[in-house]
Amino acid sequence: MSQQLIDDFGRTVDYVRISVTDRCDFRCVYCMAEEMTFLSRAEIMSIEEIELLSRAFTELGVQRIRLTGGEPLVRRGLVDRLQNIGNLPGLDELLITTNGSQLVRYGKILKDAGVTRLNVSLDSLRPERFKAMTRNGDLNKVLAGIDAAREQGFQRIKINAVVMKGSNEDEVLDLLEYARDKQVDISYIEEMPLGNIDSHNRALSFCSSDEVMAMLESRYTLHAMANKTAGPSRYFRMADSPIRVGFISPHSHNFCADCNRVRVTVEGRLLLCLGNEHSVDLLPIMRTHPGQIEPLKEAIIAAMPLKPESHHFDLHAEPQILRFMNTTGG
Ligand code: SAM
Ligand code: SF4
């Protein structure tokens, strides 16, 4: 039986999110600054290292891996070798979070490589606003990408929408209508204070999940579902549609007690918690012992006691966490 990763608070870690690149073809205002300096190739995990890391985690009992970034589909060489991760014994689900801009091109390849579920970010259905929020995204490309992915028959596709006051909070219902029409799930996300951004004041743009819920409930009745994901999302179902409506609420609903996940940054740093700097550098271990899985597994096991009981976000303070979301992986 595979070894399990259990932290000091009795939580089993069976889910890992790996950031495969810090680069992106968008510059979403809540995620990146307009001018970004990206890491060099030597500073980030190679595709082989990402594969080794994924294998180490699955051998330690991890059943779900989510690849994220940056934009995972712009990482050169990843898509071609994705099935090496998709085929790992013990892996139940390979998931990808994407901005959708390349899905027309890669949807089928992802499905064939074993990707089971896709999260696609979509904050606005208005082309001009979409361009403004992503700083250069083409809405039509993303909508075409979502349609292309739907044709591939993934188990689930979920839209992720960060809701910001003064920006897109008036589209909360339109986004739900879109999700219902396309028969895809949707999650509304509270903005997190990751990285120093200068485009807006996060304390002013903050829109709580409770406010979003109130907007949805002005038109629909939502019924809470039992939480099967042990993650930060709370899901609801609708009376007349099979889609799930989720809320990711790091501020207003502390979810740490159920946390089953860890993250690895694009630089190979194992983060035991999104909101804390508790971490272990795995890259030097992989570089000192190239291709060797045991030292890596030992380091991951040894890191478990570093997982803190909960995170601490404060919208009104300076960001305590200076990492940008794109290096951490959302
Ligand atoms: N590029 C891909 C995408 O946009 O889906 C994957 C990476 S992105 C960092 C993952 C998720 O994080 C996206 O859904 C994005 O909306 C979300 N995100 C980025 N910055 C955030 C922030 N400051 N607060 C909350 N969510 C954020
Ligand atoms: Fe790129 Fe995703 Fe960040 Fe937007 S949220 S800038 S698409 S990594």
Side-chain angles (χ1 to χ4, degrees):
M1 182 175 138
S2 54
Q3 190 158 7
Q4 291 215 320
L5 296 174
I6 300 177
D7 74 4
D8 283 0
F9 303 94
R11 297 169 299 192
T12 299
V13 170
D14 58 11
Y15 180 20
V16 60
R17 294 183 173 216
I18 304 176
S19 176
V20 297
T21 179
D22 58 336
R23 289 166 197 256
C24 187
D25 48 343
F26 291 1
R27 295 283 183 280
C28 302
V29 291
Y30 46 75
C31 177
M32 292 195 186
E34 192 148 18
E35 298 297 327
M36 294 287 290
T37 309
F38 293 108
L39 297 162
S40 71
R41 190 190 261 240
E43 290 170 297
I44 65 170
M45 290 187 286
S46 66
I47 301 293
E48 291 76 10
E49 286 162 344
I50 292 169
E51 287 173 6
L52 186 73
L53 183 73
S54 303
R55 186 153 69 85
F57 274 112
T58 54
E59 290 187 11
L60 290 169
V62 163
Q63 295 164 344
R64 278 198 290 164
I65 294 179
R66 176 178 299 282
L67 302 181
T68 176
E71 174 48 40
L73 301 187
V74 305
R75 174 70 199 258
R76 203 168 297 161
L78 178 84
V79 173
D80 301 338
R81 298 176 52 144
L82 201 55
Q83 62 197 32
N84 292 346
I85 300 178
N87 290 338
L88 282 171
L91 187 71
D92 280 349
E93 288 194 288
L94 178 58
L95 321 166
I96 287 195
T97 304
T98 172
N99 64 23
S101 69
Q102 321 271 324
L103 276 177
V104 168
R105 183 166 165 209
Y106 289 132
K108 178 169 174 16
I109 303 177
L110 297 184
K111 181 71 171 43
D112 291 347
V115 174
T116 45
R117 288 197 274 155
L118 285 182
N119 284 359
V120 187
S121 297
L122 180 67
D123 304 320
S124 175
L125 294 164
R126 302 183 193 175
E128 288 310 311
R129 182 181 283 179
F130 185 84
K131 195 170 265 310
M133 287 185 80
T134 55
R135 289 204 184 93
N136 57 17
D138 179 347
L139 175 66
N140 286 330
K141 250 191 190 172
V142 173
L143 296 181
I146 294 171
D147 285 339
R150 287 174 60 234
E151 280 167 23
Q152 295 303 323
F154 289 96
Q155 272 173 28
R156 296 198 95 97
I157 298 176
K158 179 163 75 82
I159 302 299
N160 275 341
V162 175
V163 183
M164 294 163 63
K165 281 195 180 144
S167 184
N168 66 340
E169 92 274 26
D170 53 348
E171 286 192 73
V172 159
L173 278 166
D174 290 351
L175 286 162
L176 183 61
E177 291 302 338
Y178 171 82
R180 281 164 61 89
D181 183 43
K182 299 291 177 183
Q183 301 265 301
V184 295
D185 297 338
I186 182 164
S187 280
Y188 297 94
I189 304 176
E190 288 177 355
E191 185 182 3
M192 287 178 261
L194 294 175
N196 256 319
I197 51 156
D198 51 16
S199 57
H200 58 285
N201 179 333
R202 282 177 165 142
L204 294 181
S205 59
F206 180 67
C207 187
S208 75
S209 292
D210 290 348
E211 291 172 274
V212 174
M213 176 65 121
M215 294 182 224
L216 299 182
E217 286 191 318
S218 68
R219 192 176 299 170
Y220 295 105
T221 306
L222 298 175
H223 301 280
M225 296 172 69
N227 187 0
K228 288 193 220 125
T229 60
S233 297
R234 293 170 299 133
Y235 285 103
F236 294 78
R237 62 181 174 73
M238 309 186 76
D240 57 351
S241 166
I243 71 164
R244 299 193 306 175
V245 181
F247 297 89
I248 302 176
S249 327
H251 292 286
S252 56
H253 293 264
N254 189 303
F255 47 76
C256 303
D258 294 328
C259 182
N260 65 340
R261 63 198 57 195
V262 294
R263 295 176 157 77
V264 182
T265 71
V266 66
E267 299 154 282
R269 197 147 65 102
L270 173 63
L271 298 182
L272 283 303
C273 173
L274 183 59
N276 283 267
E277 293 294 12
H278 304 88
S279 66
V280 172
D281 229 334
L282 298 176
L283 197 60
I285 297 164
M286 292 194 266
R287 301 251 157 116
T288 313
H289 309 279
Q292 290 183 40
I293 200 152
E294 288 309 322
L296 190 54
K297 284 166 68 176
E298 281 164 23
I300 295 169
I301 293 168
M304 282 303 118
L306 288 179
K307 192 165 167 62
E309 192 168 14
S310 65
H311 66 236
H312 308 281
F313 284 151
D314 182 354
L315 276 175
H316 299 275
E318 285 294 298
Q320 303 97 318
I321 304 148
L322 294 177
R323 283 178 276 104
F324 279 97
M325 194 66 158
N326 64 309
T327 53
T328 307

